[in-house]
Structure formats: C-alpha cells, structure tokens
Amino acid sequence: MADPTTGLRRPLIGGDKSYADVTREVCAPLERKSPAAWWMTISAALAMLVVGVVAVTYQLRTGIGTWGLNNTVGWAFDITNFVFWIGIGHAGTLISAILFLFNQKWRTSVNRSAEAMTLFAVVCAGIFPVIHMGRPWLAHWVIPYPNARGPLWVNFRSPLVWDMFAISTYFIVSLVFWYVGLIPDLATIRDRAVSKVKKAVTNFFSFGWDGSNRTWHRYETIYLLLAGLATPLVVSVHTIVSWDFATSLIPGWHTTIFPPYFVAGAVFSGFAMVLTLMLVVRKVLHFEDYITLHHVDAMSKVIIATGGIVALAYATEFFVALYSGNEYERFTFVNRALGPYAWAYWIMVGCNIGIPQLLWSKKVRSNVAAVFVISLLINVGMWFERFVIITISLSRDYLPASWATYSPTTIEIATLVGSFGLFFTLFLLFSRFLPMIAIGEVKGVLKYGRPDGKEPRE
Amino acid sequence: MNAPPIYGLMAEFDAPEDILAAAESARRKGYREMDAYTPFPMEELTDALGIRHTTLSLFVLCCGIAGGLIGFFMQYFTSVIDYPVNIGGKPLNSWPQFIPITFEMTILFAAIGAVVGMIFRNGLPRPVHPVFNVDRFELATRDKFFLCIEASDPLFDRDATEAFLKSLEPSHVTVVEN
C-alpha cells in the first residue's frame, strides 16, 4: 500500500487541505441558501411521503383487508419492506462501529451519513410491523409493563417480542452513537454561527462543548466502548429478525442458516444503499475530496465480499434442501426457481449474484456511474430476496389445497413509496441542517499519508 | 496570588505538534492544573498533560451487568412468578429463550450508561465556561490549539506564567477572565 519512493501511505482526504478548509467546506452546505436542486428533490420526496400517508391513513381506517393478503399468505409486502429497511440500516452501524474497531480510517468521511442512513432506515422499518398490527393504537401492548389487564405479560419466548427489543435497542443505540459523534461538530457550527439564535441553539445541543482534552479523553473512551457494544448488537438485530422466520415450521423458513445469511445480506444491501446515497452526496455537495474514489473502491470490495457470502448462502440453502430428502423442502426450492414467482427469484439471483461480479473489475469500480447503477440494482435485488423468502415460501406450504397466490394492492405499493419518501425527506433535511461529514474525525486523519504529518490516531 | 481573580492564562498554537511540545514543557516545569483545547482528539496530549485515565469503562461494565440482570429477571419474574403459563410444554423458566432479550438489555443499559456517564463526568451540559470569554477561542473548534494554565495551580503566578507561556512561542497569550 505504501508509496515506494516516499514510504507514505495514500492520503485519505484529497486536495491539500488545512484544518480550516475542512470546517469551511463541510459547513458550507449548511450556511448557503438551499439550491434549487435541493428544493426539487425534497418536493419529490415529500410528494412520495404524502402518497404513503394517504395510503396508511386509508388502510388504518379500513383495515388491512385493503392488502392482498389471504389465509395462506399472511405475511408479504409489508414484512418484506420491514426486513428490507432494517437491512439497509446495518451498513451504517458496520461503518461506524466495526470499521472503527478494525481501525479503518477511511470510514471518517462516510460514517456520519451512513449512521444517519441507519437511523432513518430503522424509522422506516419500524412503521411496517406497527401498521401490520392492524390496530396500531394498541402497539404499546408488545411492551412489557405492569398493566390492568391481568397483569398480562408478553410471551418472552416469542421471537416477535425479541424483535421488538432488538429493534428498539438498535434504534436507541444508533441514535446515541450518532448524536455523540455530532456533539463536537455542533460546537464547530456554534463557533461559526453569526446569528445569536443559531449560536444559542447549537450551544444547547452541543452541551457547551469546548474541546478540552479531559472531555476528549472521556469522549474517545466511550466512543470506543459504543463501537464495541454496537458491533454485537448489529449482528444480533438481523439474527433476531431472521428468527422471526426460522423458528416457524414453514419450508423455506425453517433453516439454521438464516442468521448469518440475513446478516450478510443486510450488510450487502446496506452498503449498496450507502453507495447510492454517497455517490449523489459527493456530486451534489462537492465532497469529491472527502468521499474519494478510494472510498467507492473500498465499499465496492465490501459489496463483493458480502455478496459472495450471500451467493454461498443461496447455494447452501438449495443444496441442503435437495440433500435433506425432505420433499417439502425440496419442492419449496424447486418452486422458487421454476414456480409462478420464478421471475422474482431470477431478479434476485441476477441482481445479487450476477451484477455484483462486475465490481471485480477495477475499471468498473472506478467508474462512478457504473457503481451507482450497480448499487441501485443490488437494492432492488435485496428487496426481492426478502419477497422471495417470505411470499413464495408461504404461498406453497404443505397442503396443495391451501396454496394461494398473492399480489400486492395499490395501497401496499403506495405504502412502500411512502417509506422511500420518508427516508429521503429525512435524509435531505439532515443534509441541509447538520454536517454530513464528521469534521472532527476528518481533521484527525487529514495529515495521514502527507509528508508533514505523522500517522494520526482516531 | 497578587493578581485579581482570573481563571487562568491561555496560549494559542497553530499546529498539533506545537501544543504537544508546549504541554510537555509545562508539565516538566511543574504545572498540573491545566488543560488543552483542540479541534480534534489528540491521545498523546492526554499523557503529556498528565490527565488520569478515565474509569468510565468500569462504570459501563457495571451498567451492562445491571442491564443483563434486570433483563433476565424481568423475564423470570413475569414468566415464572407473576404470570405462569404453559406455552408449548416448555418449562416456566425456559432460560435459553430469555437470552436474546437479556443480551439486548445488556447492550442497551451499557450504551446509555456510557453516554450519560461521559456527559456527566465531563460536566456537560455546561453552556457557560470561562474559556469562552477568550475572543479567539471560537477557533478551538476550527484549527487552533489552546493550552490553558489555570490560576488554581499552586505554581501559578500571573507574570511568571505569562513569561513562561510566551517562551513557548505561541501565536497569542490571553488572560482568561473569570
């Protein structure tokens, strides 16, 4: 990796920047007037959000009979969306926590936005199980609290209850991790603010941060601890999500491979989404020196690796089904590839196994437009993976007499559109009001690979 | 102390190496009550300033253990004592199935403990602090590095300390009003 002539590593941040340049450039989008492009994109996102709000309102007033579900297929579009969004979130935690533990300094340019992406994805994910309840005003019943109904407690042996704990813990931990990272940067904004109101508000939210070394020392300590805590957490979250399926007896769900398979898939789809967002952000906000082609390259490699795990999981699942001698299992998998939903299966295989192989080529990895398209296709493929697992498995269970087909209604599709609207609205607001790049962390690695700097620490 | 009550004296430096050298000299000189203010964390400075390593990790460990115990016994109490129901013929204390929530609660308590501990041990929120009285201190979150020797230090003498700080060749030396 090191340059043979100077012995220096490749700098992480492009351009020859000073510390002040970093502050100025990262804060610039917050301080200028919103460009027309921002207004246009947020209008589109809000329009999508309105579609979703209308759809959800309608289905809440009418009931989930407005969905295409039937006796056989009781989980379909809605749960697919839930698993999809939760999976998206995992890349953010991976970048912020696992890469931190592995001392991957390049994460500093992307971790803030990736963490924000995690939060917003978890918000989107959380909506789906709640509306699936049909009576979301009773959603608090899944929380164990002393009540006047008995006392009646939740069944702690149910993976759905585990899921509630996992998702809410994940949301809270992601939120505090993200916010802790923001504190020093909010202080930076405070110190640049001209208006008194902005100064007071940012001073409030940065807790009066002054950058004292005692403060930094404790801050760094708990940042490391949070990274150490978030790492097993993120693995546990998708593991528990996969148990929602694996602990049942449906052929195609009841497999022990699910936890690692789901976690790898989550990281795979999450990195695709990070790339989708980051490639737009670096272009629109002119962050090419921060989110460099090396970042795109590194993230593409993570996609190849996790995509490989996903491909291996598909193959293992198929092999085990054929080898098990269990005719229901065998039928389920043959049905996936050749049955009425074969199109969905082949979209999944094409997008998740075929397309990512293009990233082996250095030429493709350094072509931003190509990587962008690939990342979008992976997002599509991973959505279909969940659809394949959930819907196809349910639609053909043990008794042919109870087989059924499922197709989504307009309401369900509108709800998915609405969740994308919510996600993009939140992300655009974030890009307008908070620094998208961790200023303090980038300054720590600024001199990396430069002749005048030692290898900095984080 | 013959000087009027002030918080301390603050020297401003342009580069991280300079403040590191300055902190080391100040410590050799015998100053103890001092702090550095930097735009990004510098681990070497913590040692140079002789700041004791934090015990927060221990606190976080305790929070995690407490969370795990609370998580497990919440499930034990409800499933075995308060509301025993036979579910699928499983024993009332089906502890392997209580592990996921026990684990999540451990993480939740430890993470919240870490953040709350950091904020309170650091004395945050602290919207008003004498160092903010220094005009140029706004640059501490941009690209300047400040070393403040506090008046509470036994060796602190307004003139002598000022002369010492100036000998470190900072770009500015300022009095921090209380």
Side-chain angles (χ1 to χ4, degrees), chain A residues 1 15 36 104 192 258 267 371 375:
Chain A
M1 287 290 280
Q104 295 294 306
R192 286 175 62 83
F258 261 27
V267 174
V371 174
S375 74

Side-chain angles (χ1 to χ4, degrees), chain A residues 20 151-153 155-157 162 191 203 207 210-218 233 236 440 443 457, chain B residues 34-38 40 43 45-46 54 78 82-83 87 92 94 97 104 121-122 126-127 141-143:
Chain A
L152 184 64
W153 296 97
N155 176 14
F156 287 109
R157 299 168 187 92
W162 303 347
D191 290 343
N203 195 30
F207 298 138
D210 57 9
S212 129
N213 192 271
R214 281 164 221 278
T215 321
W216 273 124
H217 172 58
R218 293 195 186 94
L233 175 65
S236 83
K443 283 178 187 165
R457 293 144 175 255
Chain B
M34 55 183 173
D35 207 337
Y37 301 83
T38 55
F40 53 85
E43 230 173 286
L45 256 183
T46 310
T54 171
T78 55
D82 199 42
Y83 188 62
I87 292 168
L92 291 178
S94 41
Q97 295 182 305
E104 300 298 334
R121 288 290 292 146
N122 276 339
R126 186 181 45 210
T141 57
R142 198 182 80 181
D143 59 348

Side-chain angles (χ1 to χ4, degrees), chain A residues 2 47 62 79 102 114 189 210 243 282 292 298 316 394 421 432 448 452:
Chain A
T62 318
I79 302 297
F102 282 125
I189 300 178
D210 57 9
W243 283 337
R282 78 190 281 272
T292 63
T316 311
L394 278 178
R432 184 69 193 81
Y448 188 89
D452 55 337

Side-chain angles (χ1 to χ4, degrees), chain A residues 366-388:
Chain A
S366 45
N367 181 336
V368 173
V371 174
F372 183 72
V373 173
I374 292 173
S375 74
L376 282 180
L377 287 174
I378 294 174
N379 283 322
V380 172
M382 284 307 292
W383 189 88
F384 273 99
E385 180 198 294
R386 281 64 178 250
F387 183 80
V388 164

Side-chain angles (χ1 to χ4, degrees), chain A residues 160-389:
Chain A
L160 299 180
V161 173
W162 303 347
D163 219 11
M164 196 282 293
F165 274 87
I167 305 291
S168 42
T169 301
Y170 186 45
F171 180 75
I172 294 168
V173 173
S174 302
L175 181 68
V176 295
F177 201 17
W178 181 69
Y179 194 78
V180 163
L182 263 174
I183 293 173
D185 288 358
L186 286 172
T188 304
I189 300 178
R190 171 198 66 200
D191 290 343
R192 286 175 62 83
V194 190
S195 91
K196 268 213 157 72
V197 178
K198 190 171 178 188
K199 235 183 174 66
V201 170
T202 44
N203 195 30
F204 177 82
F205 283 108
S206 66
F207 298 138
W209 180 268
D210 57 9
S212 129
N213 192 271
R214 281 164 221 278
T215 321
W216 273 124
H217 172 58
R218 293 195 186 94
Y219 176 91
E220 288 283 281
T221 307
I222 69 121
Y223 202 84
L224 179 65
L225 289 173
L226 283 179
L229 291 166
T231 301
L233 175 65
V234 69
V235 174
S236 83
V237 170
H238 230 61
T239 299
I240 292 178
V241 168
S242 80
W243 283 337
D244 290 346
F245 306 101
T247 54
S248 76
L249 289 174
I250 304 290
W253 285 9
H254 188 59
T255 55
T256 47
I257 198 181
F258 261 27
Y261 166 23
F262 268 52
V263 172
V267 174
F268 178 58
S269 68
F271 263 90
M273 188 60 107
V274 172
L275 271 175
T276 310
L277 292 174
M278 289 303 103
L279 292 177
V280 176
V281 165
R282 78 190 281 272
K283 186 87 195 137
V284 175
L285 298 180
H286 310 295
F287 284 160
E288 281 96 344
D289 280 340
Y290 297 93
I291 304 164
T292 63
L293 284 176
H294 302 307
H295 289 92
V296 179
D297 192 67
M299 289 193 270
S300 303
K301 286 175 182 164
V302 175
I303 286 186
I304 297 177
T306 47
I309 303 176
V310 168
L312 180 67
Y314 292 170
T316 311
E317 227 183 6
F318 228 107
F319 171 76
V320 169
L322 296 178
Y323 193 66
S324 66
N326 179 324
E327 61 183 302
Y328 298 104
E329 279 287 323
R330 189 177 304 173
F331 170 76
T332 296
F333 281 87
V334 172
N335 179 55
R336 275 189 194 174
L338 303 173
Y341 291 104
W343 56 274
Y345 182 80
W346 292 107
I347 291 178
M348 167 189 106
V349 170
C351 291
N352 294 348
I353 302 183
I355 298 287
Q357 307 312 323
L358 294 172
L359 292 171
W360 286 99
S361 149
K362 175 95 187 159
K363 236 193 187 130
V364 175
R365 289 204 303 275
S366 45
N367 181 336
V368 173
V371 174
F372 183 72
V373 173
I374 292 173
S375 74
L376 282 180
L377 287 174
I378 294 174
N379 283 322
V380 172
M382 284 307 292
W383 189 88
F384 273 99
E385 180 198 294
R386 281 64 178 250
F387 183 80
V388 164
I389 294 173

